[in-house]
Amino acid sequence: MQKANIPAQRDHILIEINDLLSNHGFETSNIYDRSCFDMVARKELELLLLKILINIDGFTGNQAEEIKKVAGSFFASPLIVGIKSKNEYLEEDVVYERHGIPVIAKDTLRNMIVDEVYPEVFADRGGYYVQMDGEVIKSVRESQNISRKDLADKAHVSRETIYKYERGMVRAFPETAMMLESILNMKITLSVNLLRAPDFDKDKTQISDNSKTNIPLNIEIQPNLANLGFGIISTTRTPFDALAKQKSEKKTSKEDSTVITNMEKNRNQQALKKMALNVRDLSEITGSDAVFLLKGKKPLKCIEGIPVVHNWEIKEMENSKEFLNIVRERRDCN
């Protein structure tokens, strides 16, 4: 009986979080079923990919890899909001983690959105930890003419541990951090702004120059996009089929254009129209282009406001810029 109530409980939380974000300046998306993220929210430069779970242990490694790829492409912050882990409820103002994705309780999200109060405590194996500002520890220690050994003796840790704290090599137990703050008479713990996009390693976003290294989307279409100068990010747990990222000679990939890409995949017109509604919504929130790539020669230029580009048209194009010009010309052509 309790399991039957879980979907309704989760739906209620989704609505509650949507209202929270909407009431504090965020533009929010539709709710995406069977996706690695449930909703997207934007406020100025902050873009969130949110996954809502009753039990965070249900989040899989495959979902994590997928949401990392999408977040890396959109320069967004992936975030799981959960209720419990196994039989224990998540604590407020504590950051948990599942497969490299930060996890917080609902009240922690509220504290960040409403009061701009960000968590400092991390839950990990062995207990709770905090990250300290090593430069502040070293600077204050030296200004007070305290040696590492003296500080270590007062804080009941080793001299080597103080060295690691100052170099930012290890985290500390909250009790140790409080003791150090008392000794140095200075705040040294660091909070983490989970609304700010992390710096993703490009190699981990799976943007490939060679389409053979990705999941085959379409044996005709995918190589054609790659030939135009796009890197392809294949996805299987998103409201779209793939992301095509325009590759730039500049090192700052934020200058590149990301296109939300959808394939025909033997879908009928009704299925494509239904898909277009979510894709258009996602495109507006992320500020990205979106396109349907079709194999046929029907005189179709748009599906529910999403541009259509045919395979034969792509073959006649010379570069990604030409492709993007066609996509933007056909926006809202219905």
Side-chain angles (χ1 to χ4, degrees):
M1 192 70 178
Q2 187 176 1
K3 289 185 178 180
N5 291 331
I6 288 178
Q9 185 182 359
R10 183 172 171 276
D11 289 345
H12 176 77
I13 295 171
L14 276 165
I15 294 171
E16 189 176 345
I17 289 176
N18 182 79
D19 291 344
L20 168 68
L21 294 167
S22 298
N23 291 335
H24 289 84
F26 281 84
E27 182 182 4
T28 59
S29 72
N30 297 336
I31 305 301
Y32 306 118
D33 294 330
R34 295 182 294 277
S35 174
C36 62
F37 55 91
D38 294 313
M39 63 186 297
V40 180
R42 176 184 285 282
K43 182 179 181 182
E44 298 176 352
L45 297 179
E46 295 175 347
L47 181 63
L48 306 179
L49 299 184
L50 293 165
K51 184 69 179 178
I52 314 303
L53 295 170
I54 300 300
N55 190 329
I56 63 174
D57 296 320
F59 189 69
T60 67
N62 289 335
Q63 286 176 305
E65 290 306 310
E66 195 98 318
I67 197 171
K68 286 178 188 176
K69 290 193 292 184
V70 177
S73 183
F74 288 137
F75 301 99
S77 303
L79 188 60
I80 300 171
V81 180
I83 301 299
K84 62 182 180 179
S85 172
K86 297 180 181 177
N87 295 321
E88 295 183 359
Y89 287 91
L90 304 187
E91 294 188 38
E92 185 176 352
D93 295 329
V94 174
V95 180
Y96 301 81
E97 181 267 346
R98 285 298 181 274
H99 304 292
I101 305 297
V103 181
I104 57 174
K106 183 178 59 176
D107 289 337
T108 307
L109 178 65
R110 179 177 296 277
N111 293 341
M112 293 193 300
I113 299 299
V114 178
D115 301 318
E116 296 185 6
V117 174
Y118 304 103
E120 297 182 356
V121 179
F122 298 83
D124 204 343
R125 293 180 180 178
Y128 297 102
Y129 303 89
V130 294
Q131 186 69 44
M132 298 185 294
D133 191 328
E135 292 183 2
V136 169
I137 296 174
K138 182 178 180 180
S139 175
V140 175
R141 177 182 62 76
E142 291 178 345
S143 69
Q144 296 181 12
N145 199 27
I146 303 174
S147 68
R148 285 199 183 101
K149 184 179 185 309
D150 289 341
L151 183 59
D153 290 342
K154 292 179 181 180
H156 306 299
V157 295
S158 68
R159 182 183 181 280
E160 182 182 4
T161 298
I162 295 296
Y163 172 81
K164 290 181 178 179
Y165 288 160
E166 292 182 350
R167 297 294 295 270
M169 298 169 63
V170 295
R171 295 183 291 189
F173 291 114
E175 297 80 8
T176 303
M178 290 175 61
M179 187 176 297
L180 286 170
E181 287 183 333
S182 176
I183 296 168
L184 299 173
N185 194 28
M186 176 68 67
K187 178 175 173 58
I188 59 174
T189 55
L190 295 172
S191 60
V192 53
N193 185 353
L194 297 173
L195 305 183
R196 185 178 301 158
D199 292 327
F200 283 93
D201 187 325
K202 287 185 181 180
D203 293 335
K204 293 181 180 179
T205 58
Q206 301 298 312
I207 302 174
S208 176
D209 294 337
N210 186 347
S211 61
K212 292 181 181 179
T213 62
N214 278 315
I215 301 171
L217 298 173
N218 184 294
I219 59 173
E220 297 180 16
I221 291 177
Q222 187 175 349
N224 288 336
L225 287 181
N227 290 338
L228 292 182
F230 286 101
I232 309 299
I233 304 175
S234 302
T235 64
T236 57
R237 298 172 179 83
T238 60
F240 46 84
D241 293 321
L243 294 173
K245 195 167 184 68
Q246 184 185 28
K247 291 176 287 186
S248 170
E249 294 180 357
K250 299 179 181 180
K251 292 183 179 181
T252 54
S253 59
K254 290 186 179 181
E255 299 292 330
D256 302 342
S257 295
T258 299
V259 184
I260 299 170
T261 309
N262 313 280
M263 310 299 173
E264 192 167 5
K265 287 188 174 181
N266 296 319
R267 297 174 174 127
N268 58 36
Q269 195 70 12
Q270 185 177 0
L272 292 176
K273 286 183 176 181
K274 183 177 179 181
M275 187 176 188
L277 296 177
N278 278 339
V279 169
R280 185 172 62 187
D281 170 69
L282 185 58
S283 173
E284 291 173 354
I285 296 289
T286 61
S288 304
D289 291 297
V291 63
F292 275 102
L293 303 179
L294 304 185
K295 293 183 293 183
K297 294 187 178 182
K298 297 178 182 179
L300 189 63
K301 292 187 176 182
C302 211
I303 300 175
E304 297 296 325
I306 300 298
V308 169
V309 177
H310 297 275
N311 188 28
W312 63 268
E313 293 181 291
I314 299 175
K315 290 180 179 179
E316 296 179 356
M317 297 177 187
E318 295 183 358
N319 51 50
S320 59
K321 184 177 180 181
E322 187 177 348
F323 176 84
L324 290 172
N325 287 339
I326 293 294
V327 169
R328 289 161 186 171
E329 285 175 5
R330 295 178 181 178
R331 284 176 179 168
D332 301 317
C333 57
N334 283 355

